[in-house]
Amino acid sequence: MKNVWNKLLENLSPLLLGMLAFYIIIGLRVLDPTNLAWLGEGDPATHYLGWLFFRSSEWSFPIGLNPTYGLELGSAILFSDSNPLLAFLFKPFASLLPMPFQYSGIWLLACFVLQAWFGWKLAGLLSESTLIKVFSTGLFVFAPPMIWRLPVHLSLGGHFFILAALYLAFHPRLERRRLAWASLLATTALVHAYLLAMVALLWLADLVGKSIQRKLPIRRGTLELAVILSVIFIVCWQAGYFSVGAGTSKSGFGYYRMNLLSIVDASGWSYVLRDIPESPGDYEGFNFLGLGVIFLFVCAIPVALTGNTGLLETIRRFPVLLVALAGLLVFAISNKVAFADHALAYPLPDTMVAFADVFRSSGRMFWPVFYTIIIVVIFLIVRGNNTRIAIYLLGFALIIQLVDTSAAWKGIREKLMTEPNATWVTPLVDPFWEKAGAQYKKVRWIPPGNKLPKWLPIAAYAGTHGLATDAVYLARVGTLALEQARRMASESLKSGRYEADSLYILDESVFRQAAFSIDSTTDVLARVDGFNVLAPGWRKCADCPRLADEVKLTDLVP
């Protein structure tokens, strides 16, 4: 019976720790699936909108395509960062789900619970003490880089994938490794490409390292490589990774980097440590360890210097993994090395920069190194002290970490615990919009583009009324597709012929040109709620109301 209770405690402790941290930092309001108030701006808005369009669209092949959100610009649920894993799970039940329905709150809870679970597993590789595992898990859960991402880039809050990969790599007697790695990589691929890149590199390093050390036979290693790469390709294909096509627009490597002082730069996450000046793009490389971990790091230095912990012997068991982590560090820093607000650049071949631009926010790639640092510090504290002192040090460090980082996460909680609401505030209040929602099937923006000014209310309007739109914000847009869409829009402006099933929103730069070519006998050009609107066939609609602010050519030309 005692063993049963110990087993139950072992399994419940990390789950309870994760849920408690979620309650403290995030709050319960985000779990209401009809609450959209906390998703109404920035990246979370497009995360929700991608799902809104995807849930009402027909099934496609690959299943991750999301054609109504982007039209000719090309789109997949992946490129709105809408967490394809949960989108695929919930779409079969779309007709049964309420409107609206968001799963982002469930995801945030899962991030905390699974972060605690795999943090507990990693701590279990270092000690059998329950208290040591509790306090060590707390340090993983209260990791500033993870918490900072949660209200901004929802999918990137899944740092537990990295912890899971490190656990598989460090496990001395991993059973069913092929199944474990394949499951982890496939699931990671369905959440975010950056997380997939990190986890895949850790897997390859583990595979190569164990093959070199002959812990894994070459034949089995080759088979594992072929099988898992095939699994990753199939999953990525179905998720829509390859849907953008040639000419993908991307840039920013070297700008969104990690600053060399990032691990000690609080950036508002400490009451004690002052912020260090940095360059504008360095925020993507936010990797503050937290004052609690820094305290442990200082305590671990004299222990490490004694050389009696077995750290060097342990490191020698993972030479390839160490090289992989060093490579991630170099990539995170980029070729424009920043120290505070100073930078030193060294040249790279254009082809190398073009490849690096695929993961332009290179500062994120430090995350596996970040968690490895925490693991090493805990290792030194546990191996260099008796159990009681290790417990005291880890417990004190966790208290410091929790209290000091509240300087920032209290603000996150206030933002996410805003008053619940099932709708967003919209500037589109004229009765015209309701009638147009029933009259047309698409909403187009001229000229087309990605993340145009005022895109959000138009995309939300289209999604709410079941209309397809190219007023979108996507992580990647193909330059060739964008050029073709702009040519089509330019032809429409020149000829005055517009698609009868499309409502057009015109940028101010083309509004006057549209007035010259419009067929005023059938179409209407107007300003509605601050938007320039072109409604094809509106005059032929018997029950369509007249617009108060119609615009004629004589209004624009003296």
Side-chain angles (χ1 to χ4, degrees):
M1 197 64 185
K2 184 179 179 180
N3 290 335
V4 172
W5 279 109
N6 288 339
K7 191 70 174 178
L8 185 63
L9 179 64
E10 182 80 10
N11 291 326
L12 287 181
S13 293
L15 301 181
L16 294 175
L17 278 170
M19 288 188 286
L20 179 61
F22 170 82
Y23 176 76
I24 292 172
I25 297 175
I26 304 298
L28 299 179
R29 286 182 176 176
V30 300
L31 293 178
D32 178 359
T34 63
N35 177 19
L36 302 183
W38 63 286
L39 297 169
E41 58 185 26
D43 288 355
T46 195
H47 300 343
Y48 169 72
L49 288 172
W51 153 248
L52 177 62
F53 283 85
F54 185 70
R55 69 173 286 179
S56 59
S57 64
E58 298 292 332
W59 283 103
S60 61
F61 191 83
I63 59 176
L65 298 183
N66 198 11
T68 58
Y69 188 67
L71 294 173
E72 289 82 12
L73 298 185
S75 176
I77 190 68
L78 174 83
F79 292 115
S80 58
D81 283 347
S82 302
N83 201 319
L85 176 64
L86 295 185
F88 293 167
L89 288 175
F90 284 108
K91 181 167 181 173
F93 310 102
S95 61
L96 304 176
L97 298 174
M99 181 62 81
F101 176 85
Q102 57 85 11
Y103 46 66
S104 296
I106 300 171
W107 168 250
L108 296 189
L109 175 60
C111 287
F112 276 95
V113 170
L114 292 172
Q115 183 84 351
W117 177 266
F118 288 108
W120 183 276
K121 290 294 185 182
L122 281 166
L125 297 178
L126 305 176
S127 174
E128 295 182 357
S129 168
T130 300
L131 285 177
I132 285 179
K133 287 191 280 189
V134 167
F135 296 144
S136 299
T137 299
L139 294 175
F140 288 115
V141 171
F142 283 90
M146 182 200 77
I147 301 172
W148 182 84
R149 290 286 168 181
L150 293 176
V152 184
H153 305 120
L154 301 175
S155 296
L156 284 175
H159 285 210
F160 63 86
F161 289 114
I162 300 170
L163 295 186
L166 291 172
Y167 173 71
L168 295 182
F170 290 138
H171 198 291
R173 295 176 300 276
L174 181 64
E175 298 178 3
R176 300 180 181 177
R177 61 167 285 120
R178 195 183 306 160
L179 176 61
W181 277 113
S183 302
L184 177 61
L185 286 159
T187 310
T188 309
L190 290 175
V191 173
H192 205 282
Y194 276 86
L195 294 172
L196 172 62
M198 295 178 223
V199 172
L201 184 61
L202 294 176
W203 160 64
L204 287 171
D206 179 60
L207 178 65
V208 173
K210 285 184 169 56
S211 298
I212 291 175
Q213 295 172 342
R214 298 185 179 181
K215 295 179 180 179
L216 186 67
I218 297 296
R219 183 177 178 182
R220 288 182 57 190
T222 304
L223 179 61
E224 178 180 320
L225 180 68
V227 169
I228 293 183
L229 286 179
S230 299
V231 169
I232 294 173
F233 175 81
I234 293 171
V235 171
C236 289
W237 168 43
Q238 288 301 310
Y241 276 75
F242 315 123
S243 62
V244 170
T248 306
S249 57
K250 53 189 180 294
S251 62
F253 178 71
Y255 180 79
Y256 300 110
R257 67 200 166 195
M258 172 190 164
N259 198 292
L260 289 177
L261 297 180
S262 176
I263 60 174
V264 293
D265 181 10
S267 296
W269 279 76
S270 174
Y271 292 111
V272 178
L273 300 180
R274 297 180 60 183
D275 295 349
I276 299 173
E278 60 182 14
S279 300
D282 291 356
Y283 72 91
E284 274 291 356
F286 172 71
N287 287 293
F288 179 52
L289 288 171
L291 189 59
V293 176
I294 293 174
F295 161 77
L296 275 186
F297 187 90
V298 173
C299 294
I301 292 175
V303 174
L305 294 177
T306 64
N308 298 324
T309 59
L311 178 62
L312 292 179
E313 291 79 3
T314 303
I315 290 175
R316 290 192 188 102
R317 290 166 45 199
F318 306 98
V320 181
L321 183 61
L322 184 63
V323 171
L325 293 172
L328 286 171
L329 172 61
V330 172
F331 188 82
I333 294 171
S334 85
N335 66 318
K336 298 179 180 178
V337 183
F339 184 88
D341 54 353
H342 303 284
L344 175 66
Y346 59 89
L348 289 176
D350 291 342
T351 53
M352 189 177 293
V353 173
F355 176 78
D357 273 332
V358 175
F359 297 100
R360 57 187 179 181
S361 298
S362 65
R364 303 171 182 176
M365 294 300 185
F366 184 74
W367 295 341
V369 185
F370 175 92
Y371 289 111
T372 302
I373 291 173
I374 296 179
I375 294 169
V376 170
V377 169
I378 296 172
F379 177 93
L380 291 171
I381 294 297
V382 171
R383 294 294 182 90
N385 300 278
N386 62 49
T387 301
R388 177 175 295 183
I389 293 177
I391 289 172
Y392 287 153
L393 289 174
L394 288 166
F396 186 57
L398 178 58
I399 293 172
I400 296 174
Q401 187 86 348
L402 195 157
V403 173
D404 196 51
T405 56
S406 68
W409 58 251
K410 278 185 177 180
I412 292 175
R413 179 181 173 85
E414 291 174 5
K415 179 181 178 181
L416 299 184
M417 284 289 284
T418 187
E419 191 67 27
N421 202 322
T423 59
W424 290 340
V425 176
T426 176
L428 310 182
V429 296
D430 193 284
F432 161 80
W433 299 105
E434 196 64 34
K435 181 60 181 176
Q439 183 75 10
Y440 299 102
K441 295 180 180 179
K442 304 171 189 172
V443 181
R444 293 185 175 275
W445 199 297
I446 297 183
N450 187 31
K451 199 184 178 182
L452 296 168
K454 297 184 179 180
W455 73 273
L456 180 54
I458 298 300
Y461 163 75
T464 304
H465 288 80
L467 311 177
T469 186
D470 59 4
V472 293
Y473 173 24
L474 297 169
R476 294 288 188 273
V477 171
T479 52
L480 299 181
L482 181 57
E483 289 171 4
Q484 184 178 359
R486 285 176 174 170
R487 282 197 299 269
M488 290 172 54
S490 179
E491 287 299 320
S492 295
L493 284 171
K494 291 178 181 178
S495 64
R497 293 191 294 271
Y498 300 91
E499 295 180 13
D501 64 348
S502 298
L503 176 68
Y504 291 85
I505 310 298
L506 306 180
D507 188 82
E508 197 66 39
S509 62
V510 300
F511 189 58
R512 187 183 299 268
Q513 183 180 353
F516 275 93
S517 61
I518 189 174
D519 184 352
S520 58
T521 62
T522 59
D523 305 340
V524 167
L525 190 64
R527 299 186 191 272
V528 185
D529 292 331
F531 289 87
N532 301 321
V533 173
L534 194 157
W538 191 262
R539 297 190 190 282
K540 299 195 307 184
C541 173
D543 58 343
C544 291
R546 290 185 59 82
L547 300 181
D549 199 9
E550 286 191 32
V551 178
K552 300 177 181 177
L553 182 60
T554 52
D555 298 328
L556 299 176
V557 181

